Amino acid sequence: MQGHGYGGTPALRYRYRVAGCVLLVAHLLAVGWLALRPLTAPWVTAAHLEPFASLRADLALGPWEAVRAIGSGVLPLAPLGVLLPWARGRVAASSLGSLTRTVFTAAMISLGLQVVQSGVLGQVLDVDALLLDVTGVALTHLAVVPAVRARLRRKADGERPAARLPEEAPQGLTPTIPRVRIAP
């Protein structure tokens, strides 16, 4: 039977995948709870639908305020860059395909969160928040996932047996006789 390209027993791989799913759900619940709390504000601005408008406003506040504001936009969904591939449980996956799936899933989660958030008292729809969420997920994925997958692949290659005993050596192809078929 052929393995899936990563080491460990099936039970261990299953536990890692379940742990990833549990952490993913816990993170999404925490982010959802924090994002969907009503804010007490005397007035609320209109929705920010022009891309990069609120980023320009943040940059106009000064360097420290801009770092704080942009960082607070990048960090909430950034762990999804690691948790989504972990929950999927594949080590031998295409880097570009994994990044594409992760970023698309994070964009859909962020979009859904923004749409639901716009109905909460004191919260407004912000396109730049969506862009910052996706950027945080992509950066986290690129910084962590390829390195961890490469390490796990190397570890899995190290677990494979290096040499066979002489009695287990392959004997070659099975001889066949022309015009004689294999019985069903």
Side-chain angles (χ1 to χ4, degrees):
M1 181 184 214
Q2 184 177 0
H4 292 288
Y6 47 94
T9 64
L12 183 63
R13 290 191 303 260
Y14 177 74
R15 287 182 186 151
Y16 281 141
R17 191 169 181 193
V18 168
C21 290
V22 168
L23 288 174
L24 176 66
V25 168
H27 177 71
L28 288 175
L29 287 173
V31 167
W33 180 75
L34 290 173
L36 299 177
R37 294 179 306 168
L39 298 178
T40 55
W43 57 274
V44 177
T45 61
H48 303 283
L49 300 178
E50 180 185 343
F52 305 114
S54 60
L55 290 177
R56 282 192 295 271
D58 289 340
L59 291 172
L61 295 174
W64 294 112
E65 287 297 318
V67 167
R68 186 195 62 77
I70 293 172
S72 68
V74 169
L75 291 178
L77 289 183
L80 291 181
V82 174
L83 292 175
L84 287 170
W86 186 4
R88 185 158 188 261
R90 287 288 194 188
V91 173
S94 164
S95 297
L96 182 61
S98 176
L99 177 65
T100 304
R101 280 187 302 273
T102 303
V103 168
F104 178 76
T105 304
M108 293 298 106
I109 290 170
S110 180
L111 180 63
L113 194 62
Q114 287 293 320
V115 169
V116 172
Q117 189 177 11
S118 67
V120 175
L121 183 64
Q123 302 278 357
V124 295
L125 181 68
D126 190 5
V127 173
D128 291 336
L130 176 70
L131 294 173
L132 289 174
D133 287 340
V134 171
T135 302
V137 169
L139 290 175
T140 304
H141 186 279
L142 289 172
V144 175
V145 173
V148 170
R149 280 186 174 156
R151 182 172 178 245
L152 289 173
R153 275 189 230 117
R154 273 182 276 146
K155 184 178 176 185
D157 289 342
E159 292 176 357
R160 293 187 181 137
R164 296 181 181 185
L165 296 174
E167 57 270 357
E168 294 180 4
Q171 302 296 319
L173 296 174
T174 304
T176 58
I177 302 170
R179 292 185 281 169
V180 176
R181 299 183 186 204
I182 297 174

